[in-house]
Each structure stands twice: as C-alpha cells, then as structure tokens.
Amino acid sequence: MAKFRIRVSTGKACGAGTWDKVSVCIVGRRGESPLLPLDHLGKEFTAGAEEDFEVTLPHDVGPVLLLHVHKAPLALPRPLGPLAPDDAWFCRWFQLEPPGGIPLRFPCYQWLEGAGDLLLREGAAKVSWADHHSILRRQRQEELQSRQLMYRWKTYSPGWPHCLDQATAKDLDLNVKYSVVKNTKFYMKGSSAFAELKIKGLLDRTGLWRSLREMRRMFNFRKSPAAEYVFEHWQDDTFFASQFLNGLNPVLIHRCRSLPKNFPVTDDMVAPILGPGTSLQAELEKGSLFLVDHGILSGVSTNVINGKPQFSAAPMTLLYQSPGNGPLLPLAIQLSQTPGPNNPIFLPTDDKWDWLLAKTWVRNAEFSVHEALTHLLHAHLLPEVFTLATLRQLPSCHPLFKLLIPHTQYTLYINTLARELLIAPGQVVDRSTGLGIVGFSELIQRNMEQLSYSVLCLPEDIRARGVEDIPNYYYRDDGMQIWGAVERFVSEIVGIYYPSDASVRDDQELQAWVREIFSKGFLDRESSGVPSSLDTQEALVRYVTMVIFTCSAQHSAVSAGQFDSSVWMPNLPPTMQLPPPTSKGQAQPEGFIATLPPVNATCDIIIALWLLSREPGDQRPLGTYPDEHFTEEAPQRSIAAFQNHLTQISRDIKERNQKLALPYPYLDPPLIENSVSI
C-alpha cells in the first residue's frame, strides 16, 4: 500500500467552485489504482482554493504516467436530483506527491461541466516522437479524437476561410466561452450605449443629419482624447495622410516608383504642393511618393439602407513625403480606377468642399477595406483557423499547444457571436454599411485569391511595400519591436523542444496542424506561399511568430482604435448615400451632408465599434500567462525574458507618446490582448 499526497487548485473565476464529488485514478507503468475519492468534511473545491488530500493505493502502480480525474454530481434526493443544474468546475492543476518522490504537477486549466472525466499528464511538454510509452501515445491520440468531435469545421460562406461548426455562442463548450465577468460587462456596455442613443431619439431616425453641428450630439456619446483630436483635425490634409500610417488601416500605403497608367497625374496638378525645382519624375526617383490603392473595391456590390441604394468608390490616393522629417501630404485623389472626363483627379488646390468630399470618399473606402479585410478576414477569421487547428491537431502536452493556447482564448466565442450579431443577414453589417453582407463577402473572396504569406509576416510586408524609412510610422516601429520580441521568445521555445530540422519534420502532429491551417484557412491555394508543411527550425519560428503576432499585436493595431477613429462619423463614414462626383465645382455643404450615412446607420455602427474597441474585463495582456501550462524551468525562463523585453518596449513607446500631439498607444504591450477576444 502506498500513500500519495494530492494538492488541487481551483480557479478564482466566478462559478469556478463545485459541490460535485471528485475522484482520481493514478495510472502508472505497472497498472492503475481504483477511483480514489477526494473528500473532506464540509465543502471542497471552492473558488480560489488550494486543498490537500491524502489517498492510499491498494497496490503499487509504478512510476506515474497519467492522472484520471472523475467528477460526479452530488447525490440529491428526488425530485430535486434530476432538476439540479450541471455544476461546472474550473480546475487549475493537480499536484501529486508520491511516497519519497518528487512532486509532479498536472496542468489542467479546464472547465469540467456535470459528470465527466479528464486524463491529465504531468506538465513536461512532449512532442509526439518523444512519447515512448504506449499508454501515453494512446492518450494523446484519444485526446485529439475527442477534440475533433467537439470542434468541427464548416463553410460559413463560399471562398471564406472555414470556421467553427456552431450556430450560436450559447451552445459553445464552456472552455471557449467568455467568463461570467467578461460576458456581463460586454452586454452591460452594449445595453448602456443602445439605451443612451435610443433615449436621445437617434437610433431609430432614418433621415439625414441636419448639419455637421448636429452630428456633435453623436460625438458627445462617448469621448476620448484621441476622438477629440480626430474631431478637431479631420479636415486637415496632414491628419488625413497620417491615418494611412497610424490609423485603423496602416497596411495599404506603399512606395510609388512609377505612376499607374490609370492614374494620370501631371506635374501641373501637383506643382503647388511639390514646389519649384522638382517634378513628379524626380520625386518618384527619389522615393518620396506613396500610393494607397483601394482598387479591390472596384465593381463591388453595394447595399440598400432604409430603402435607399448606397454607393461605393475605388479610389487611388497619391501622397508626398515632404523633405526632412516633414509631414506626409496628399497630392491627388482619383475616385475610380478608370480615368476619363467623368472621373476627375481631385487636388488640394480645388474648392474646399470638392477636396473634402474626395477625401471623405477615400475614408469611406478605408472603412470598407478595413472592416471586411484588415479586421474581419485577417484579424478574426484567420485567428479562428489557427485556434481550431490548434485544438484539433495539438494535444495539451504538445509544446506548441502550451505556447499557443493563451493566444486562442475567447476567439471562437467572439467570432461565433459576430456571425450571430454582426455579419448575419439583417444584422449590423447588413443594416448599416455601404457594402452589406454581399459586398463584404465579395471583398473577402477577392482578397483570399491574392492573400500571401508575406502580408502576414510584418518584416516582409514592410519591405514589400517599401516603407522601411518613411518617418512617423509608429505602427511599423512598434510592430517591428513586438515582432522581434515574439520571434526571440518563439525561437527559444522551439530550441528547447526541437534540437534539429529533422525533429521538426518528424513531428506528425505539428505537420497535421500546419496542413489543416493551409487547407481550411487558405483553401489549399499554393500561390499564397503559405506553407502546407514545415521542414526547418527557422521555418517553424517564422510560422509560429506570425500566428502569435496576428492573434495579438496585429489585432490590437487594427481593432483598438475603431471607436476613436469613427465616433466623429465624417472621418470614417460606413456608407455613402449619393454617388461619387463626376465633375468638380458641384460640391456644397448640403450635398456633403446628404452623401453621408443616415442617422440610424451612424448610431448602429458607432455602438458596434464602441463595443469592439475595448476589452470588457478579464484582460490578459500580451506576455501574461496566468495559466501555467509550461512547468519546466527552461520555458519559464523564456517567458520571464519575454515579459522583460515587452516591458522595455512599453517604456519606449510611452516615452515617445508623451511627445506626440496624438499618441499611438495601440501597440503598447500592456494594451495588447494575448488573443482575439473582442
């Protein structure tokens, strides 16, 4: 007979404790024990508790391999028994101390709802080829089979990345749902915003805004220093241009070495901005001209709002980096991809309202491309693919599972909720954006056909767009620092568990994970450059860095500023109610107002972006790992070094931001969530 000490840690979250009865079976190399109840007088497993138990095994099971945990409902007298709700329990970990042996930690970090069983492994991470015992090999296979039954793929829309096969968020497994605190704050926040605009009589008003002055009622809905800056500077050319660098969609601007043939800008047009002694050709050769091309919007389907057809443009915007460390300035805007007499090139020297209307059309194009592609596709749908593949192909003992699972938290929940409340027919995107669901879907299909691996890898994307040295590009500066920190961290973790390139090739679970992402996320399109297998340590480091960066920093960069940029609606209109101008000299204040979105659509979008711009509690910033999946010293040292690196980056960003009229906080590590969770 052998006595084991067992310590059990229950999570602190609301509802984490349980009244149910918990038993364990210890599985060793020479057999397994019967189920051994963990039972004291009174209640066990209260939220936040760590409790010790002593169990006696009737026979020696040998060196411990697994811990089998069984949870059974508390026996209740009828008729209450069948009516008693399932009692969920969040177990953090078990610690098993064999007689005279070294304590073994068994990470769990899972909800167990109602009656159920878990098989837990000691916390040392193991790749598949490192598991030599048949019991352990069978355990990891059975775990994956169970997860693959629970988390299935479906096609939500043709040409989109595949997603979780679940219709409603309420039906999701408890392990991927919002916590009680996060869920409560999320719905309270949405309800308060809805109620405020309803009471003000704005939410149901289908007509036009009466004036820009009246729009300030909307602006007063919620304020932030950044939103106030937008309100004060939205008409300024320098602010208009700066948003291509540090606004919501900082991923389109690229250096222009030759003017597109369908954008016939002339020297005479831009001479007032370029000044004497230079020319377009000279500036092109110098590398001081940049282009933002929204051509992907050309011919896209548009929506009907309040019974009125909406309109879209596919503009091209030429920008000039003034000498020294001067501001980026807009030089010319063409609102469609086909030049001609009905498609004038608008210039800063045009009438004030002509030029402002042209810039506003560009900002509407930014809204459409950002929300459909930069935000929804790249920063939500692809992270969902990474999340599902991780759950389906990597067992919990796998080092990459331990590394990646913090970067998947709540992603399945928020995306399922989005398919219910945002991108379903009749919901927000369909009610209140210029493209609606049909236009969004077309954009995603088009982008999926041209999406490349290099676009998702920040250093390569920066080089490909030729923007390595454009000044005041804080998205690039901060993003590159964070990419470097993540890459160093991933490199250390990979080095611990993969001693050679061959060890990468031989990990069949890793290869299945990569293959499933390629198949379900990138639809087997080899021209994307996305790998379908990984052959080297270097390739693995790059790939995992891309996944973590996309699920954390990139999402923050394109999501956290949505409300700041949009609450003053003329800066980022979600739709346009009149067609793009076909001549100059026609724009007037009344026509400008008539082009902008109606009142109800404005409010609908602002509420959504207010919700989606701020984490509703239960925050886990980049680099924080309250769930200790790694138990060995080497990865724990790497985590500590990563955290220290992020702290230094944050210090540098805060110091720079103190000197800026409009700080750029969206890639400050404490403000970056570990995962796509809102």
Side-chain angles (χ1 to χ4, degrees):
M1 297 177 69
K3 290 187 177 181
F4 281 72
R5 291 177 58 83
I6 298 178
R7 171 163 279 220
V8 186
S9 177
T10 295
K12 297 179 180 179
C14 180
T18 183
W19 286 91
D20 286 356
K21 293 302 176 184
V22 175
S23 304
V24 297
C25 164
I26 299 172
V27 181
R29 289 180 178 269
R30 292 195 288 272
E32 60 184 63
S33 74
L35 278 175
L36 305 165
L38 303 181
D39 198 6
H40 290 150
L41 284 175
K43 184 179 186 297
E44 301 88 16
F45 314 116
T46 56
E50 290 187 10
E51 297 165 282
D52 292 306
F53 302 88
E54 191 173 89
V55 296
T56 302
L57 277 62
H59 56 271
D60 181 19
V61 298
V64 177
L65 296 175
L66 297 170
L67 191 64
H68 175 191
V69 181
H70 176 72
K71 177 171 169 285
L74 182 67
L76 291 171
R78 288 191 177 273
L80 186 57
L83 300 177
D86 286 344
D87 186 7
W89 176 45
F90 187 83
C91 174
R92 298 181 69 238
W93 46 259
F94 283 79
Q95 185 163 292
L96 188 63
E97 188 174 330
I102 298 172
L104 303 173
R105 179 66 66 90
F106 293 78
C108 182
Y109 302 104
Q110 295 182 61
W111 288 96
L112 194 55
E113 193 169 11
D117 296 85
L118 290 173
L119 272 180
L120 302 180
R121 295 176 55 129
E122 189 274 324
K126 290 284 180 66
V127 294
S128 56
W129 45 258
D131 257 346
H132 303 300
H133 200 285
S134 60
I135 289 177
L136 296 178
R137 290 198 298 270
R138 185 168 64 249
Q139 180 274 330
R140 65 195 301 150
Q141 291 169 0
E142 290 174 353
E143 181 184 0
L144 291 181
Q145 288 168 359
S146 174
R147 292 228 211 101
Q148 288 165 9
L149 288 173
M150 180 176 291
Y151 303 110
R152 296 176 179 271
W153 294 102
K154 75 173 179 183
T155 300
Y156 180 73
S157 185
W160 290 33
H162 295 196
C163 64
L164 176 66
D165 185 8
Q166 190 64 265
T168 65
K170 68 179 176 61
D171 295 326
L172 291 173
D173 171 53
L174 201 54
N175 284 296
V176 298
K177 284 185 176 180
Y178 269 3
S179 67
V180 172
V181 169
K182 198 174 188 79
N183 199 55
T184 301
K185 289 187 175 181
F186 179 81
Y187 282 102
M188 285 179 63
K189 185 178 179 183
S191 298
S192 67
F194 181 89
E196 179 177 340
L197 296 179
K198 190 87 169 174
I199 290 169
K200 286 182 175 179
L202 298 175
L203 199 56
D204 300 319
R205 203 174 112 195
T206 59
L208 299 175
W209 292 96
R210 297 184 184 96
S211 65
L212 291 175
R213 179 177 297 177
E214 192 201 27
M215 285 181 202
R216 294 185 63 175
R217 294 179 64 197
M218 179 73 239
F219 178 67
N220 290 333
F221 159 67
R222 297 284 190 275
K223 281 189 178 180
S224 67
E228 293 193 26
Y229 186 95
V230 171
F231 172 69
E232 293 168 3
H233 296 276
W234 70 284
Q235 298 186 54
D236 298 350
D237 284 359
T238 52
F239 178 64
F240 169 80
S242 74
Q243 291 187 88
F244 294 122
L245 298 174
N246 304 311
L248 275 183
N249 199 35
V251 298
L252 288 188
I253 185 170
H254 66 272
R255 196 179 300 272
C256 183
R257 292 295 186 181
S258 61
L259 281 176
K261 292 181 179 179
N262 61 336
F263 194 13
V265 182
T266 66
D267 283 322
D268 289 343
M269 291 178 182
V270 298
I273 304 299
L274 295 183
T278 188
S279 65
L280 276 172
Q281 188 58 39
E283 296 301 329
L284 287 167
E285 292 172 4
K286 195 187 299 181
S288 61
L289 298 187
F290 296 83
L291 186 68
V292 175
D293 188 351
H294 292 96
I296 196 167
L297 288 165
S298 189
V300 72
S301 297
T302 51
N303 200 9
V304 174
I305 298 176
N306 301 332
K308 292 181 60 176
Q310 306 296 294
F311 298 90
S312 179
M316 307 170 79
T317 305
L318 188 65
L319 301 142
Y320 168 58
Q321 176 58 53
S322 50
N325 202 26
L328 186 68
L329 297 169
L331 278 181
I333 294 171
Q334 181 177 282
L335 294 182
S336 93
Q337 299 286 305
T338 305
N342 293 327
N343 185 21
I345 294 176
F346 292 91
L347 307 166
T349 50
D350 289 340
D351 172 79
K352 168 189 172 181
W353 289 102
D354 280 339
W355 179 236
L356 182 61
L357 183 59
K359 289 191 295 181
T360 304
W361 273 103
V362 174
R363 297 300 298 158
N364 168 251
E366 278 283 87
F367 176 92
S368 297
V369 169
H370 168 266
E371 293 298 348
L373 303 180
T374 311
H375 186 214
L376 176 58
L377 173 58
H378 297 180
H380 275 267
L381 301 185
L382 293 182
E384 181 172 3
V385 171
F386 303 149
T387 297
L388 266 176
T390 298
L391 290 171
R392 287 172 49 86
Q393 301 299 343
L394 300 176
S396 56
C397 63
H398 197 289
L400 291 183
F401 180 91
K402 292 174 181 283
L403 177 63
L404 293 172
I405 197 64
H407 303 289
T408 68
Q409 189 173 43
Y410 301 137
T411 300
L412 298 182
Y413 182 84
I414 193 61
N415 280 13
T416 303
L417 203 62
R419 285 188 283 273
E420 283 186 77
L421 304 180
L422 289 179
I423 58 175
Q427 297 297 337
V428 175
V429 167
D430 225 16
R431 288 196 306 259
S432 301
T433 68
L435 302 188
I437 293 301
V438 173
F440 265 49
S441 190
E442 287 177 11
L443 279 190
I444 289 172
Q445 290 166 1
R446 292 178 185 184
N447 194 239
M448 284 290 290
E449 292 171 359
Q450 63 191 49
L451 182 60
S452 69
Y453 187 30
S454 61
V455 167
L456 303 176
C457 297
L458 182 66
E460 294 172 48
D461 181 53
I462 294 296
R463 286 195 297 273
R465 291 190 285 118
V467 288
E468 305 98 314
D469 58 359
I470 187 170
N472 307 314
Y473 194 7
Y474 309 124
Y475 161 77
R476 173 202 61 207
D477 298 342
D478 300 352
M480 288 293 287
Q481 284 199 77
I482 291 167
W483 179 281
V486 172
E487 185 176 51
R488 183 187 303 178
F489 173 49
V490 170
S491 181
E492 290 180 8
I493 298 295
V494 167
I496 293 168
Y497 299 102
Y498 294 93
S500 65
D501 291 345
S503 66
V504 173
R505 291 192 292 272
D506 292 344
D507 185 353
Q508 295 308 307
E509 291 166 345
L510 160 65
Q511 300 299 341
W513 175 68
V514 174
R515 192 161 50 249
E516 187 156 88
I517 290 172
F518 176 70
S519 172
K520 301 299 184 180
F522 298 90
L523 309 182
D524 292 312
R525 191 172 59 82
E526 293 185 4
S527 61
S528 68
V530 175
S532 57
S533 64
L534 296 174
D535 297 327
T536 66
Q537 294 167 305
E538 182 182 2
L540 175 57
V541 169
R542 178 191 181 204
Y543 192 87
V544 174
T545 300
M546 178 275 293
V547 169
I548 293 176
F549 186 85
T550 301
C551 293
S552 57
Q554 186 64 17
H555 176 257
S556 179
V558 304
S559 177
Q562 289 179 99
F563 181 76
D564 292 338
S565 295
S566 66
V567 65
W568 178 243
M569 177 270 289
N571 182 62
L572 199 71
T575 186
M576 300 290 258
Q577 298 200 91
L578 295 177
T582 55
S583 62
K584 296 185 182 184
Q586 306 300 312
Q588 297 295 331
E590 298 78 13
F592 181 80
I593 298 292
T595 304
L596 293 176
V599 177
N600 61 337
T602 302
C603 295
D604 208 17
I605 293 297
I606 294 303
I607 291 173
L609 299 186
W610 164 248
L611 270 174
L612 299 178
S613 295
R614 299 286 187 274
E615 288 290 338
D618 193 16
Q619 293 170 282
R620 298 193 176 189
L622 180 63
T624 58
Y625 302 110
D627 298 348
E628 297 174 352
H629 291 279
F630 283 109
T631 60
E632 310 100 302
E633 288 186 7
Q636 289 177 348
R637 284 196 300 270
S638 295
I639 288 172
F642 180 45
Q643 292 168 339
N644 289 336
H645 197 169
L646 292 175
T647 298
Q648 181 57 55
I649 291 172
S650 177
R651 194 176 297 125
D652 294 343
I653 289 173
K654 286 182 170 67
E655 184 178 338
R656 178 208 60 210
N657 281 346
Q658 287 178 349
K659 304 170 186 175
L660 299 179
L662 179 61
Y664 184 76
Y666 306 120
L667 285 174
D668 188 0
L671 303 180
I672 298 171
E673 194 71 10
N674 248 338
S675 60
V676 178
S677 58
I678 186 65

